[in-house]
Amino acid sequence: MNEETDRLLERLLEAPPGPQREQILARIDANRREEALKLLDAGDLVWEAAHSAPPLEKDPVAAMLGVVPDPNFQLDAKALARACKTSRVKPTALASRLNARGWKIDASDVFRWQTRPAPDVPPALIKAIAEEVHSEPERLVARSQPQRTALVEVAENIAASPRFRDLVQRFATIRQISVEMAESAMKSRMLATVHRGDMPDQEQMLASLESLVHALETEQDR
Amino acid sequence: MDPRQDVVSEADVSTVSLDVAAVFLKHREAMYRVAYAMLRTDHHNQAVDVIGEVMVAILKNPPDSVGNWEAYLVRAVQNKIRDLWKSAAHRHEQLLLAEATPTEGDRLGGDEVEDDPASEVVELLSRQQTVQTVRAAMAEMEAWDPQAAYVLWQCAGLERSSQQVADELGISGSRVRQIASKARKKLISLLEAKELHL
């Protein structure tokens, strides 16, 4: 009897949540059911621990929203210092304004951005900074050489295609952002999407972007 | 220089609307956790697609005023998934899932649309802390018995079958099940030592 329960317990722990699990649980001796439930709970907690948000750079939604730092769209320290001076916005004030928009920023961050390269600042935050210092995102950005990996090369090939240019234009229009920012977001999204599985071909990557832009346009038309 | 330009008054701040991107960055963990939990036995929909659709909808039609963004986003994800389940293509699966996962909704804020969003968030945060405690306990188990921690993570965390893990490790399936069972018991005791009682 005990062996039978042990076998049931083994099967129970292998069963996914659902009717099968419930059926096995019902067949377990009442005096061992509490133990079985604890073991199930422990497993479910491990499942939850294993299922959290993907790393930022692998999250296509984050890429679409421009919160993935982009080496090709980096904040330029001198340009930011100049823009702050021109607009007479001090670091503390800029930090407060960005915080009011939902960004977790200290004045020390702004000081750092004005004095050192800031590869951690994502395009969406650069856009917010630009709005607060009455500038354009592109004016605050330093161009840098992208790292050449096989994946980046695929993305660059796609980026050179007329279809991608068209998608970037449409994305920029819908999101009311510059073409450069739209391009950054769409390239990041392409790269993030690739991390989800095998290396897709160019057609798949373009189709994925196309469906995103189409979804945004459809929402807009509603 | 106008000194007033160097400070942000409360009035200024209150007129500034939150950036959707910043809000997502802050709450994406909660969104993913809810989506993963609800879609655990759903083989048709993926969390990232659901969250993408939710954010696209918010971008195009930003809500007027949101008291609690975390609750709002979590609810948006839950509603989106329910909508998918209600669609004709997934009606059958929805019925199975409703039967299959009676506890997930309760754990992550309740299945009822009329639930209090604030209490949902409290529950979600508390569950998040529990999961963090589990991660810490798993790290301890890793030091205690790396194989046990690995087997538990693979079988319970990633839902690989004991035979798959057995083939990988070059041991029998029953040995994997023994190790996994021992690891679950060890996890429970580690959690109890951290005052987390299952």
Side-chain angles (χ1 to χ4, degrees):
Chain A
M1 185 65 194
N2 214 11
E3 270 182 31
E4 167 69 8
T5 305
D6 285 344
R7 267 197 299 277
L8 277 175
L9 208 52
E10 276 189 359
R11 278 182 55 208
L12 176 74
L13 299 181
E14 291 251 328
Q20 190 195 352
R21 187 190 266 192
E22 298 303 319
Q23 282 163 12
I24 300 172
L25 191 59
R27 290 172 56 199
I28 288 189
D29 285 351
N31 60 347
R32 294 199 59 188
R33 203 165 294 151
E34 194 182 342
E35 176 200 349
L37 283 170
K38 271 191 178 187
L39 292 170
L40 277 178
D41 272 357
D44 285 345
L45 280 169
V46 174
W47 185 89
E48 280 189 53
H51 289 80
S52 55
L56 203 56
E57 68 278 9
K58 293 181 183 176
D59 182 349
V61 185
M64 172 193 79
L65 293 170
V67 292
V68 181
D70 177 0
N72 293 318
F73 205 87
Q74 277 189 27
L75 195 59
D76 181 73
K78 283 182 186 167
L80 174 63
R82 228 175 9 250
C84 287
K85 195 174 174 188
T86 307
S87 60
R88 289 191 259 178
V89 176
K90 286 189 173 172
T92 46
L94 180 54
S96 297
R97 290 177 188 180
L98 292 173
N99 271 298
R101 296 173 67 133
W103 301 95
K104 278 187 81 177
I105 302 299
D106 291 331
S108 62
D109 293 319
V110 182
F111 280 118
R112 177 170 59 85
W113 299 341
Q114 289 185 342
T115 51
R116 288 199 293 271
D120 56 323
V121 180
L125 179 52
I126 294 176
K127 179 173 180 277
I129 294 167
E131 285 169 6
E132 295 304 335
V133 298
H134 313 296
S135 183
E136 297 295 327
E138 289 67 38
R139 291 181 176 221
L140 302 181
V141 163
R143 297 257 161 217
S144 63
Q145 278 298 98
Q147 291 174 349
R148 304 294 298 179
T149 62
L151 194 54
V152 169
E153 276 189 27
V154 172
E156 292 296 331
N157 284 342
I158 294 172
S161 69
R163 197 167 147 204
F164 181 84
R165 306 305 318 164
D166 173 60
L167 287 168
V168 166
Q169 285 287 353
R170 286 160 62 191
F171 189 69
T173 306
I174 305 159
R175 295 283 327 269
Q176 296 179 325
I177 56 178
S178 68
V179 171
E180 288 84 355
M181 276 198 76
E183 184 176 338
S184 164
M186 296 195 83
K187 277 186 187 169
S188 297
R189 192 178 192 283
M190 268 199 294
L191 296 174
T193 311
V194 168
H195 287 293
R196 290 169 65 189
D198 300 332
M199 172 97 76
D201 60 23
Q202 297 193 9
E203 178 56 38
Q204 281 177 318
M205 287 169 119
L206 280 167
S208 162
L209 292 178
E210 192 123 43
S211 61
L212 166 71
V213 172
H214 179 70
L216 281 162
E217 287 171 338
T218 310
E219 285 286 337
Q220 194 175 40
D221 292 342
R222 272 181 198 169
Chain B
M1 181 192 284
D2 183 355
R4 284 173 301 176
Q5 284 181 290
D6 291 332
V7 291
V8 181
S9 69
E10 282 185 21
D12 283 338
V13 171
S14 65
T15 58
V16 175
S17 60
L18 286 174
D19 288 349
V20 170
V23 166
F24 171 77
L25 197 56
K26 193 171 175 187
H27 301 300
R28 74 186 188 102
E29 186 64 46
M31 295 174 79
Y32 272 102
R33 280 195 355 92
V34 167
Y36 280 133
M38 289 180 77
L39 297 173
R40 183 169 176 183
T41 52
D42 180 339
H43 303 296
H44 296 281
N45 299 297
Q46 291 207 15
V48 69
D49 296 327
V50 168
I51 292 169
E53 285 182 37
V54 165
M55 294 314 297
V56 163
I58 291 174
L59 277 178
K60 293 321 303 169
N61 297 302
D64 289 336
S65 63
V66 175
N68 183 329
W69 269 100
E70 187 164 35
Y72 179 86
L73 292 173
V74 164
R75 179 59 57 91
V77 170
Q78 290 172 330
N79 288 345
K80 182 78 207 171
I81 293 172
R82 287 192 190 103
D83 286 348
L84 289 169
W85 285 346
K86 281 176 193 162
S87 70
H90 294 98
R91 189 162 291 143
H92 178 63
E93 285 82 352
Q94 184 211 8
L95 291 171
L96 289 177
L97 284 162
E99 212 182 331
T101 54
T103 55
E104 262 99 61
D106 295 339
R107 284 179 179 167
L108 294 163
D111 250 3
E112 299 303 317
V113 176
E114 298 307 321
D115 278 354
D116 173 17
S119 69
E120 267 191 31
V121 170
V122 169
E123 204 172 328
L124 191 72
L125 290 176
S126 145
R127 189 71 183 173
Q128 217 152 301
Q129 281 175 348
T130 302
V131 170
Q132 275 170 3
T133 309
V134 171
R135 287 204 183 104
M138 286 299 291
E140 282 179 39
M141 196 191 300
E142 173 90 35
W144 168 72
D145 185 342
Q147 191 185 47
Y150 180 79
V151 165
L152 182 57
W153 189 259
Q154 294 296 314
C155 292
L158 305 181
E159 293 185 313
R160 292 178 70 198
S161 73
S162 53
Q163 197 51 55
Q164 283 174 319
V165 179
D167 291 344
E168 184 194 320
L169 297 178
I171 54 180
S172 68
S174 64
R175 178 72 190 127
V176 166
R177 286 190 288 276
Q178 275 176 4
I179 295 171
S181 176
K182 187 178 77 167
R184 282 184 197 234
K185 287 173 186 160
K186 180 67 181 175
L187 178 64
I188 291 168
S189 69
L190 287 169
L191 293 175
E192 281 173 353
K194 293 175 187 301
E195 299 194 348
L196 202 162
H197 300 277
L198 300 179

